[in-house]
Amino acid sequence: MNALILAAGRGTRISRYLEGNPKCTVDIGGKPLIKYTVELLRSKGIKKICLVVGYQHQVIEKVLKDEDVEFYYNPFFDVTNSIGSAWFARDYLNNNDDLLVMNADVFVEPSVIDILLEEKRSPVLLGDDRRKEEADYKLKYTNGILEKYGKELKGDDITGEYVGIAKMSKDYIPTFKTQLEKMIGEQKHSVWWENVLYELSEKQNIHVLNVGNRFWAEVDYIEDYERIKEFVGK
């Protein structure tokens, strides 16, 4: 299993609390979030880890200076969304092993990675059916199959919230990479990397795995950060 972590973004919604640093470097119990994530993935047997950096990349590289990770740089982090970062790491997207892809601002407890690694379906997104109307990015899925997606979903069109992590088998990676390059070629560089899977869902099944009662949070708002610190402190 390989891992691709997307860490190029600025984090504008919580930037005033970060003193100019990337949000994936926030302190959680005496350790930067991104270091926690890399160590967690290593502990689960993921040996090859790649990060796509951009905004204040030197800060992230310094935090991980003692970790054996590979870096790609997105020089257009200010004008592209995460699909651009995935494109800059396209040479890393080979099909020699399964691939876990995650956003760097996501904190998860270790058991979340366990259930994802055990999942046999591909590709699969992580979802949380405990959060619906209050969710940031919403998904509708039936029997674990993605049907709708978007921030604007309402009512019965919401099954749960997207967690920010996905996994795909090595056999699926060429399909993902072809669609990624197609969308970049069409100048769709302002969308998230997940939009590659969303567009593919119109032709094939994209699966969703619920996290159950496991803890996770995305560092988007100060309230999210406080929840993470509270969980780590227990």
Side-chain angles (χ1 to χ4, degrees):
M1 173 73 69
N2 298 331
L4 174 63
I5 305 175
L6 301 171
R10 183 182 292 273
T12 55
R13 287 184 285 190
I14 195 174
S15 58
R16 66 182 181 276
Y17 300 101
L18 300 177
E19 298 180 347
N21 292 320
K23 59 180 176 177
C24 68
T25 62
V26 294
D27 179 85
I28 53 164
K31 181 179 296 185
L33 170 58
I34 190 61
K35 188 170 181 64
Y36 164 87
T37 299
V38 169
E39 291 178 353
L40 172 60
L41 296 181
R42 288 265 186 257
S43 74
K44 300 303 180 182
I46 298 176
K47 302 302 182 185
K48 190 173 181 181
I49 300 175
C50 167
L51 280 87
V52 184
V53 293
Y55 173 72
Q56 292 283 26
H57 62 96
Q58 302 94 336
V59 177
I60 299 173
E61 290 164 3
K62 183 178 180 180
V63 165
L64 298 176
K65 60 181 172 57
D66 296 325
E67 301 288 342
D68 182 19
V69 297
E70 186 174 347
F71 291 101
Y72 285 85
Y73 180 60
N74 175 4
F76 306 114
F77 62 86
D78 226 12
V79 293
T80 70
N81 210 322
S82 59
I83 190 174
S85 293
W87 185 82
F88 275 102
R90 64 194 181 280
D91 289 341
Y92 183 78
L93 298 175
N94 54 57
N95 60 333
N96 66 355
D97 208 343
D98 297 345
L99 181 68
L100 182 151
V101 188
M102 69 181 294
N103 299 321
D105 61 349
V106 176
F107 171 91
V108 294
E109 66 169 292
S111 62
V112 172
I113 301 300
D114 290 333
I115 64 167
L116 185 60
L117 295 182
E118 292 167 3
E119 176 60 53
K120 302 302 183 186
R121 296 173 299 169
S122 171
V124 60
L125 303 163
L126 278 182
D128 185 351
D129 61 7
R130 295 169 296 182
R131 288 169 57 90
K132 297 190 177 182
E133 292 292 348
E134 72 275 21
D136 183 28
Y137 196 89
K138 301 158 187 173
L139 304 176
K140 180 182 181 182
Y141 43 100
T142 303
N143 297 323
I145 303 296
L146 181 67
E147 296 177 343
K148 296 182 181 181
Y149 46 87
K151 289 178 175 287
E152 73 286 348
L153 296 184
K154 296 181 180 179
D156 292 340
D157 276 343
I158 307 170
T159 307
E161 181 172 19
Y162 170 56
V163 170
I165 310 178
K167 187 184 79 167
M168 62 189 79
S169 68
K170 62 181 180 181
D171 295 333
Y172 190 82
I173 290 173
T175 299
F176 177 86
K177 187 175 180 180
T178 297
Q179 181 68 17
L180 168 67
E181 292 178 331
K182 176 178 180 290
M183 292 172 66
I184 290 294
E186 295 169 346
Q187 297 299 301
K188 295 180 179 178
H189 48 69
S190 62
V191 299
W192 294 284
W193 76 263
E194 293 91 346
N195 282 80
V196 178
L197 295 177
Y198 299 151
E199 290 207 6
L200 286 168
S201 72
E202 299 173 6
K203 297 178 281 189
Q204 54 198 241
N205 286 342
I206 305 297
H207 305 278
V208 183
L209 172 67
N210 275 316
V211 296
N213 61 356
R214 298 168 180 84
F215 182 85
W216 72 278
E218 187 178 32
V219 184
D220 259 344
Y221 299 99
I222 190 61
E223 293 81 7
D224 302 318
Y225 179 42
E226 294 297 340
R227 287 198 302 121
I228 295 171
K229 290 197 296 183
E230 180 182 0
F231 177 83
V232 173
K234 289 181 180 178

